[in-house]
Every structure is written in structure tokens, then in C-alpha cells.
């Protein structure tokens, strides 16, 4: 370490105190702190040398929780600076521990070269890679390659994915393809057309349909069946199309007790073609597992909207592939493997929604403002954030009253499907929990008896897959009490419902409102988008685009104009090594 560092007695204890202070002020999570301390301890790292490494691990872990599979050293230095600043800010309370104050002083304002030297100085924890040269242990838990810092598992996964893509680009017959496009651009139609064409030419082809969630898998199955009906596909082709899509975890045979997949390298899947829908929701580790399990001859088709929110877990695989392909010239292999669908059939009857979505993607706040404030374009509107609960309820009550007027579970589900409140945040007054609580207070005033968790007409979202009861993560049902018996009804084909006792269900949440993340892949007639309060940085372009495009016919954006404009101006690009690797490895194709 550099000679100008302050010598601190019991630096390891000081690091623990600093991390504890950050956790107490919700600047880091408990998991971030534990991972930082365990990483240093297992490597036998003590004293001053442990301080920058521990902070780097904690910051990197925190970034991973936000979906980043890598951090640039520039971002690492900035995040560490922000952490130290917030620890010592008056609003957070003064840092009183002398050791913590000394460590903060030592770390304050350190630049990228300092962080690079500090990390490269502990090769037992950080393997530094520059070009083909590597310094440090091959099994070090962190990897610095160029200006990026990653946990080893993400580095290895992205290396394998890029190697697979490069190998595919060298093959004359494509074994890797992408179809990307916004809502209503015909992605499912293209899947059906390809299945009809391919199975007619190769009847023995073994095909699997997959999606990241059970809800998305069920929707894919139903959509493909409808498209085959529209195309009058032959009975022979229909017989060869999978009757149902599977979640990726089920396709690979996930073994939770061993935390691994049955199908993997050396034990490949028995398919020649795997079609993965809603691919933007698949994180880098799951995509790596899927690619590893493919037979060498198999084709993987990724289908999704590259502009939607990325996966909840770390990584942005579809987005990275599409961005790099877009920058390549037509006729080059990667560019030509990505098919872009641009015409939205869904918004032709409601062009204002399409125009709003286009303005958001273009980062044009002025154009979006013009659309949402044009009285002649009622499909999309924006109103200021309500000052109180009465103002919020005024926006929701017309929709809630339609739900209360429903006389059957099927009618209640239809009314619920007619609108949805989408929030940027899970907690807080303007988050999912706050709005659900406010709606339930209103329901009590209308006479609904809410003395227990399960009450008549309660909408619920399933939070986990349950193959026994055939309900999946993201499914929405309605609790309905008849003659003292409470059942939860879910949509069934033909407008019917199927009912299950609450005890048969996995974990559920009240669903008068949901996060934008949970709404991905769904669509509703009316969407009410609740923006976060001013000053929050959770809302970005991708989140607002995803929320607006969940609507079939009407969108209401609720929030301050400044917050809406800020969201449009911010693109929340995830830190990832995949895009950089793709650019470096496919410069000529």
C-alpha cells in the first residue's frame, strides 16, 4: 500500500465498524457486509490492506443486487466516494467511532489509479487480467479485466457466453438467433411462422418452448396455439409443436437441494431447437446454464424486447447482444442474426401510447410532455402527484368500484384485468405496499370486512411456482367467499375460472398495485403509473417505457413533471462485461 496511508490500529475492527455503520444507515445490506468480511478473512487479509478490498467487495455486492454483473473502476471509485460522504453527512449523523473516522479520511477522494493499485496488490483476492496476461490466483473470488471489476462467477459466465456466440457466428448454419421488438410487434407470430416452416421441412426436429417465469411460459403456450389456429397449421405440424412451454428452471431440471441443474455440460438437453421467450428477463447466470446445457448442434432462439427492464438478477444479456448487433454493419454475422420488429400492431388503434413509448426510448422529455398534455390525445395523460390520500383515491376509485360491482369471480378478474396500478418502488407511500394499504382502508369504509389476510375480492399475486397446483410466479387471482368458504379463482380457458383453497397456494401478495418489474410481459386496458417522489433515482427510461407499454388502451402517469422528465433523461445501463467482450470479439462481424 502507498506510504501516505494513515496507520490505523486494528484496521480490521475499523473496517467492520465502518461496514456496520453503512448497514445501519441502509447504505449497504447485511449481505454486502458479511460477504466483504468473509472474503477478506478467508484470504487471510488483515490490517490496512483489507480496508480497500473490503469496501470494494461490499460495493460490488451492492451493485450486483441492483443488477450489475460488473463495475468499472470509475464507478467503483464514485460509489466508494458516495458511501464515505454519506457516512459522514449531517443528515446521516456524525461518524463517532475514531477508527471509522480515520478510515473515512483514508478513503475519501481516492481516484481510479489508487483503487487499481489497491486491488492488484492482493492477488489472493483479485486476479488482474490485461490482454492475455494474468496476475493473481486463477481461483481468486474477484477478477479485474481492463477497467472492469467482477465476481469470478459472473466473469466466467460471460466468458463462456461470448465464446458460444463467437463459435456460432463462425458457423454457416445459424445456431444462435434473436428476435426483438416492442409490444404488439408480432414476435409470437414470428415464432409460430418459424415453427410451421421448420417442422414442415424437418418433421423429426425436437423443439422446446421456454420462458423465465411460469406465467410467461403459460402465456407463450396459449399465444403460440392461437397463432397456429390463425395460420390454419396442419394437424401434423400441431402435433410436433410442444403443448406447453416450460420455465427455464424446469427445462434444465433444477435441483434445489444441490443448487444445480440436471441438464448441464456433459448432460445436454434432448432438443434440436430451444425457443426462449421474454429473454430480457433472463439473467446472465441462468443464460449461461441454458447455453451450457444445449447440445452442440442445437439452435437457441432468444425472443424479447431489448428496451424493457432487464432481469431482476444481475446481467443484461439480451440488451447487450442487441446493442452490439445494432452497431454492426448490415451483412455482418452478428447484425444479421438479430431480427428487429418495429411495427406495433397493438398501438395502431391507440397511437398516443406508441408515440409516448417512442419519445421515452428516444430520451425526448419534451416530446413525451407534449403527448401526455395534449387534450386531443386522451389515450395517454399525466397528472401531478396527489397531495394526499384523497387525491390518490380519486384516481383509483372508478376502477375499484368496477371490481366491487362484479358479481362473479370471472367478472371480478375481468374488472381487475381492466386496470392495474404500477409502481416504481415496493415500499413507501407511493410504493406497492403503501397503495395496497390505502386501497384496503378505502374498502373498509365501503363495508368490506378485512379482519384477516384473506378477504372477499382480495386480488393476489403468486410469488413462486407451484407445479402441483399449476399456479406460477406472477399469476393473479381473486379471493372469493361463497357460503363461508374462501377460494382463490384464477383465469381458465374460455373465460372460466379454476379455484383453489388459499392453503394450496405458495406465497402470495395483495395485488391492487404491483411493481413495474412484476408487470413485465403482462398487459391491461388501463395502466396507472405511479412515479416515485422527487429525488429518488429508481425511475429511469427503461422502467417508464416498460410501464407505459403494459397498456392496451389508456395510460395515466402520476407524478411530478420533473420526475417524469428525469426518468426519460436517464438510461439505467447495467454494468456488464458481456457487452465489452462482444464488442472486442466481434469487431469484424
Amino acid at each position: 500500500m502507498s506510504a501516505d496511508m494513515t496507520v490505523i490500529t486494528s484496521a480490521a475492527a475499523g473496517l467492520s465498524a465502518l461496514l456496520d455503520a453503512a448497514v445501519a444507515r441502509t447504505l449497504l445490506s447485511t449481505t454486502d457486509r458479511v460477504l466483504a468480511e468473509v472474503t477478506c478473512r478467508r484470504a487471510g487479509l488483515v490490517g490496512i490492506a483489507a480496508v480497500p478490498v473490503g469496501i470494494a467487495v461490499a460495493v460490488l455486492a451492492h451493485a450486483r443486487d441492483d443488477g450489475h454483473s460488473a463495475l468499472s473502476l470509475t464507478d467503483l471509485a464514485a460509489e466508494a466516494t458516495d458511501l464515505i460522504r454519506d457516512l459522514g453527512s449531517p443528515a446521516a449523523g456524525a461518524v463517532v467511532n475514531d477508527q471509522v473516522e480515520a478510515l473515512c479520511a483514508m478513503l475519501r477522494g481516492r481516484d481510479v489509479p489508487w483503487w487499481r493499485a489497491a486491488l492488484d496488490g492482493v492477488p489472493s483476492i483479485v486476479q488482474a487480467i490485461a490482454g492475455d496476461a494474468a496476475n493473481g490466483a486463477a481461483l481468486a473470488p474477484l477478477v479485474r479485466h481492463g477497467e472492469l471489476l467482477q465476481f469470478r462467477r459472473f466473469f466466467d459466465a460471460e466468458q463462456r457466453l461470448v465464446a458460444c456466440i463467437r463459435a456460432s457466428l463462425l458457423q454457416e448454419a445459424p445456431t444462435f438467433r434473436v428476435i426483438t421488438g416492442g409490444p404488439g410487434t408480432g414476435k409470437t407470430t414470428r415464432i409460430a411462422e418459424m415453427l410451421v416452416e421448420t417442422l414442415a421441412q424437418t418433421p423429426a426436429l425436437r423443439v422446446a418452448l421456454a420462458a423465465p417465469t411460469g406465467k410467461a411460459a403459460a402465456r407463450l403456450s396459449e399465444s403460440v396455439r392461437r397463432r397456429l389456429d390463425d395460420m390454419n397449421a396442419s394437424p401434423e405440424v400441431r402435433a410436433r409443436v410442444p403443448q406447453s412451454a416450460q420455465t427455464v428452471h424446469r427445462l434444465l431440471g433444477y435441483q434445489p437441494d444441490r443448487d444445480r441443474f440436471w441438464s448441464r455440460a456433459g448432460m445436454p438437453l434432448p432438443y434440436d431447437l430451444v425457443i426462449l421467450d421474454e429473454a430480457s428477463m433472463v439473467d446472465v447466470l441462468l443464460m449461461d446454464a441454458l447455453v451450457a446445457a444445449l447440445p452442440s448442434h442445437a439452435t437457441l432462439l432468444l425472443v424479447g424486447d431489448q428496451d424493457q427492464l432487464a432481469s431482476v438478477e444481475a446481467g443484461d444479456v439480451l440488451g447487450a447482444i442487441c446493442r452490439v448487433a445494432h452497431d454492426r454493419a448490415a451483412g455482418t454475422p452478428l447484425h444479421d442474426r438479430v431480427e428487429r420488429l418495429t411495427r406495433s400492431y397493438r398501438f395502431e388503434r391507440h397511437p398516443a401510447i406508441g408515440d409516448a413509448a417512442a419519445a421515452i426510448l428516444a430520451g425526448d422529455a419534451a416530446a413525451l410532455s407534449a403527448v401526455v398534455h395534449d387534450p386531443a390525445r386522451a389515450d395517454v395523460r399525466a397528472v401531478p402527484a396527489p397531495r394526499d390520500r384523497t387525491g390518490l383515491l380519486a384516481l383509483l376509485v372508478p376502477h375499484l368500484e368496477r371490481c366491487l360491482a362484479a358479481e362473479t369471480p370471472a367478472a371480478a378478474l375481468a374488472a381487475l384485468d381492466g386496470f392495474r396500478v404500477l409502481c416504481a418502488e415496493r415500499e413507501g407511500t407511493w410504493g406497492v405496499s403503501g397503495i395496497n394499504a390505502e386501497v384496503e382502508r378505502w374498502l373498509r369504509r365501503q363495508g368490506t370486512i378485512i379482519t384477516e389476510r384473506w378477504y372477499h375480492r382480495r386480488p393476489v399475486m403468486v410469488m413462486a411456482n407451484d407445479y402441483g397446483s399449476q399456479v406460477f410466479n406472477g399469476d393473479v387471482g381473486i379471493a372469493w367467499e361463497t357460503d363461508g368458504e374462501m377460494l382463490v379463482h384464477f383465469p381458465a380457458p374460455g373465460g372460466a375460472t379454476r379455484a383453489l383453497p388459499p392453503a394450496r397456494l405458495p406465497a402470495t401478495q395483495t395485488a391492487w398495485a404491483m411493481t413495474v418489474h412484476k408487470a413485465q410481459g403482462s398487459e391491461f386496458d388501463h395502466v396507472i403509473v405511479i412515479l416515485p417522489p422527487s429525488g429518488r433515482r429508481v425511475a429511469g427510461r427503461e422502467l417508464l417505457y416498460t410501464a407505459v407499454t403494459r397498456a392496451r388502451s389508456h395510460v395515466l402517469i402520476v407524478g411530478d413533471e420533473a420526475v417524469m422528465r428525469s426518468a426519460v433523461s436517464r438510461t439505467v445501463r447495467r454494468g456488464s462485461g458481456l457487452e465489452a467482450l462482444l464488442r472486442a470479439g466481434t469487431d469484424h462481424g
Side-chain angles (χ1 to χ4, degrees):
M1 307 298 293
S2 61
D4 67 333
M5 283 189 178
T6 305
V7 177
I8 302 171
T9 304
S10 301
L15 173 62
S16 294
L18 188 153
L19 294 173
D20 284 341
V23 171
R25 292 162 193 172
T26 66
L27 301 173
L28 295 172
S29 71
T30 300
T31 302
D32 302 334
R33 183 203 70 203
V34 170
L35 184 59
E37 293 178 331
V38 168
T39 300
C40 292
R41 185 167 62 248
R42 285 182 175 175
L45 196 62
V46 296
I48 293 294
V51 175
V53 175
I55 295 298
V57 172
V59 168
L60 187 60
H62 198 66
R64 176 200 59 192
D65 294 340
D66 286 336
H68 303 278
S69 65
L71 269 187
S72 68
L73 294 183
T74 300
D75 287 340
L76 172 66
E79 292 292 331
T81 298
D82 289 347
L83 176 67
I84 298 306
R85 180 200 64 214
D86 292 343
L87 276 175
S89 67
V95 177
V96 295
N97 183 294
D98 290 341
Q99 291 176 328
V100 173
E101 287 183 345
L103 289 181
C104 285
M106 182 191 83
L107 294 168
R108 189 172 292 116
R110 295 297 186 175
D111 58 11
V112 168
W114 186 89
W115 281 101
R116 184 188 299 110
L119 294 171
D120 290 358
V122 284
S124 60
I125 292 181
V126 182
Q127 181 184 22
I129 300 175
D132 295 329
N135 174 39
L139 296 180
L142 272 66
V143 177
R144 180 188 69 76
H145 52 113
E147 293 301 296
L148 290 179
L149 183 68
Q150 289 186 280
F151 287 116
R152 165 73 60 182
R153 64 190 309 213
F154 293 109
F155 173 79
D156 290 345
E158 290 180 345
Q159 291 282 335
R160 288 189 292 264
L161 284 173
V162 169
C164 175
I165 293 171
R166 289 174 182 167
S168 173
L169 296 179
L170 296 175
Q171 298 183 29
E172 185 174 345
T175 57
F176 174 88
R177 293 178 57 188
V178 175
I179 297 175
T180 184
T185 52
K187 297 187 292 294
T188 307
T189 300
R190 287 292 297 117
I191 292 174
E193 290 173 345
M194 193 190 76
L195 284 172
V196 169
E197 178 183 349
T198 303
L199 290 172
Q201 295 175 350
T202 314
L205 196 75
R206 299 167 298 173
V207 180
L209 300 177
T213 68
K215 180 181 179 180
R219 189 170 52 248
L220 173 62
S221 304
E222 180 61 25
S223 297
V224 168
R225 282 194 293 268
R226 286 201 305 266
R227 298 301 185 277
L228 293 176
D229 289 340
D230 295 341
M231 297 168 64
N232 292 319
S234 69
E236 292 79 14
V237 166
R238 288 173 180 274
R240 299 181 193 118
V241 174
Q243 294 301 300
S244 60
Q246 304 177 65
T247 65
V248 180
H249 280 80
R250 195 174 199 193
L251 177 75
L252 296 177
Y254 182 61
Q255 300 170 295
D257 56 327
R258 306 177 73 178
D259 192 27
R260 73 172 191 177
F261 297 102
W262 177 260
S263 295
R264 54 191 186 275
M267 302 182 68
L269 291 164
Y271 299 110
D272 308 303
L273 169 63
V274 175
I275 299 174
L276 175 61
D277 196 22
E278 297 289 357
S280 66
M281 299 168 64
V282 178
D283 63 87
V284 65
L285 296 181
L286 185 57
M287 190 71 78
D288 174 49
L290 174 60
V291 169
L294 292 173
S296 58
H297 69 278
T299 295
L300 174 64
L301 173 63
L302 304 181
V303 184
D305 184 351
Q306 70 175 90
D307 296 312
Q308 272 194 178
L309 284 167
S311 59
V312 175
E313 303 296 332
D316 180 20
V317 178
L318 182 71
I321 292 170
C322 290
R323 285 190 295 272
V324 176
H326 178 76
D327 293 341
R328 297 293 179 260
T332 54
L334 185 58
H335 180 280
D336 291 353
R337 299 289 171 90
V338 177
E339 180 179 356
R340 298 165 185 82
L341 306 178
T342 57
R343 178 182 176 184
S344 179
Y345 299 93
R346 181 194 296 181
F347 298 141
E348 287 184 345
R349 289 188 298 171
H350 300 279
I353 300 177
D355 291 344
I360 294 168
L361 289 181
D364 193 336
L368 176 62
S369 185
V371 173
V372 300
H373 295 304
D374 185 347
R377 312 189 78 182
D379 295 354
V380 181
R381 293 190 301 122
V383 296
R387 296 185 176 216
D388 51 32
R389 294 171 176 175
T390 301
L392 172 64
L393 285 172
L395 303 173
L396 307 184
V397 163
H399 301 289
L400 297 173
E401 287 178 336
R402 280 190 284 274
C403 292
L404 293 184
E407 297 182 351
T408 65
L413 284 169
L416 187 64
D417 192 48
F419 89 104
R420 195 56 50 87
V421 180
L422 303 183
C423 303
E425 299 177 302
R426 184 173 290 106
E427 305 299 332
T429 302
W430 306 114
V432 171
S433 61
I435 291 177
N436 280 334
E438 188 56 42
V439 170
E440 290 182 340
R441 279 191 287 267
W442 179 83
L443 289 172
R444 287 190 182 95
R445 294 196 295 272
Q446 308 310 305
T448 299
I449 300 174
I450 305 178
T451 58
E452 297 179 358
R453 179 170 172 238
W454 291 100
Y455 58 87
H456 187 50
R457 299 178 189 272
R458 177 194 177 214
V460 296
M461 173 180 285
V462 176
M463 306 304 293
N465 295 331
D466 187 328
Y467 292 97
S469 58
Q470 287 293 292
V471 294
F472 303 105
N473 188 358
D475 283 353
V476 173
I478 195 92
W480 199 266
E481 187 173 11
T482 304
D483 298 329
E485 182 184 20
M486 182 71 73
L487 295 174
V488 183
H489 292 254
F490 292 90
T497 68
R498 63 189 189 92
L500 295 167
R504 287 276 310 278
L505 298 177
T508 61
Q509 289 183 354
T510 303
W512 294 112
M514 66 173 63
T515 62
V516 178
H517 264 106
K518 280 294 185 182
Q520 286 192 90
S522 300
E523 55 185 67
F524 314 96
D525 293 335
H526 296 252
V527 166
I528 301 173
V529 183
I530 307 293
L531 296 179
S534 178
R536 304 284 181 86
R537 292 182 59 81
V538 295
R541 190 179 304 168
E542 296 83 358
L543 182 139
L544 189 55
Y545 166 82
T546 303
V548 165
T549 55
R550 298 312 91 202
R552 299 187 188 103
S553 56
H554 293 87
V555 179
L556 177 64
I557 300 174
V558 181
D560 293 339
E561 179 85 8
V563 175
M564 183 181 75
R565 286 177 171 267
S566 174
V568 174
S569 68
R570 291 181 61 239
T571 179
V572 186
R573 184 65 58 83
R574 290 188 167 184
S576 165
L578 184 62
E579 185 168 344
L581 289 168
L582 281 172
R583 292 190 185 281
T586 58
D587 283 339
H588 304 290

